[in-house]
Amino acid sequence: QSVLTQPPSVSGAPGQRVIISCTGTSANIGADCDVHWYKQLPGTAPKLLIYGTRNRPSGVPDRFSGSKSGTSASLAITGLQAEDEADYYCQSCDSSQSGHWVFGGGTKLNVV
Amino acid sequence: EEQLVESGGGLIQPGGSLRLSCVVSGFTVSKNYMNWVRQAPGKGLEWVSILYSGGSTYYADSVRGRFTISRDNSKNTVFLQMNSLRAEDTAVYYCARVPGSPFYYGLDVWGQGTTVTVS
């Protein structure tokens, strides 16, 4: 069982907006730890989508945005496209153990 | 181009050892924070270990005492020595970089992964 909780799957139609949640505790997201988000296509390495809770690396479309409130974080995807169908993971620090990171269990985004 | 290439995976019996390598090009290993992340078949990502630019190392509880992360600056390579391997260590192992402050910057460059099967 992952330290950060994500819904197993979310679905949306092309053009719609979806939100993927990531729920943590006072030991990670709630401890003022930044949240990062990754996209993973089958058989490939993850790709960084959002870092520092709300920042996009160069090349990531502004359709992707991140936010955080209390012990939860969210990844919002607007203007859903077929190529957005993938697994998405959140990541944060574990303030109870120096140097440690934790991941969410992952969310499968289905574009229907 | 910044690139990470892992190698060293394979089939190993329980209790055995393996050393994974991550050859880096395009940036200097010793100036970055290098990680190993694994993914068991059909499962999610699990952070395994981090090597700070200053040399500090940290490990997930599941591997502490059995795995050791290190680097060879002359070869610009990161290693993961894995001892006392268990069936639950079976996974694809990715090498990945954090370019700065470990908890502000995410893992921005990843290798293609190397598969470890303990059976």
Side-chain angles (χ1 to χ4, degrees):
Chain A
Q1 189 171 353
S2 302
V3 175
L4 304 179
T5 301
Q6 298 180 235
S9 66
V10 298
S11 299
Q16 284 189 335
R17 176 178 184 258
V18 296
I19 294 178
I20 298 174
S21 62
C22 175
T23 302
T25 69
S26 58
N28 38 68
I29 298 175
D32 208 25
C33 289
D34 279 299
V35 180
H36 316 301
W37 290 91
Y38 302 87
K39 173 184 178 181
Q40 186 179 35
L41 294 169
T44 69
K47 171 190 172 183
L48 181 64
L49 272 184
I50 298 288
Y51 70 92
T53 301
R54 60 186 71 251
N55 303 287
R56 287 185 308 277
S58 174
V60 174
D62 60 5
R63 300 187 297 106
F64 295 88
S65 63
S67 63
K68 185 179 85 166
S69 179
T71 59
S72 293
S74 297
L75 173 70
I77 309 172
T78 59
L80 208 55
Q81 301 178 3
E83 56 261 38
D84 297 332
E85 185 162 292
D87 292 323
Y88 292 82
Y89 294 90
C90 60
Q91 179 196 29
S92 187
C93 71
D94 180 354
S95 67
S96 65
Q97 299 190 76
S98 182
H100 284 224
W101 283 4
V102 289
F103 279 99
T107 298
K108 175 64 186 299
L109 170 60
N110 298 296
V111 180
V112 298
Chain B
E1 180 187 5
E2 297 169 331
Q3 192 174 12
L4 309 176
V5 179
E6 303 98 332
S7 63
L11 175 62
I12 188 76
Q13 292 185 342
S17 297
L18 276 178
R19 188 176 83 153
L20 306 184
S21 299
C22 171
V23 177
V24 173
S25 57
F27 65 91
T28 302
V29 161
S30 62
K31 295 183 179 179
N32 289 267
Y33 299 77
M34 301 303 297
N35 294 259
W36 287 95
V37 175
R38 69 184 180 183
Q39 187 169 34
K43 302 297 184 181
L45 301 173
E46 179 186 16
W47 173 77
V48 173
S49 181
I50 185 171
L51 172 56
Y52 280 27
S53 57
S56 298
T57 58
Y58 299 94
Y59 301 91
D61 292 346
S62 57
V63 307
R64 187 180 301 114
R66 300 187 299 124
F67 290 11
T68 302
I69 190 171
S70 63
R71 69 190 180 209
D72 183 331
N73 294 341
S74 66
K75 297 180 179 178
N76 214 33
T77 299
V78 180
F79 303 99
L80 185 68
Q81 177 66 44
M82 305 187 297
N83 299 329
S84 302
L85 282 162
R86 307 166 180 169
E88 53 264 37
D89 295 319
T90 294
V92 175
Y93 284 74
Y94 295 102
C95 178
R97 175 190 83 165
V98 180
S101 171
F103 298 120
Y104 177 71
Y105 295 98
L107 298 159
D108 71 335
V109 181
W110 294 67
Q112 84 288 352
T114 187
T115 300
V116 173
T117 303
V118 184
S119 177

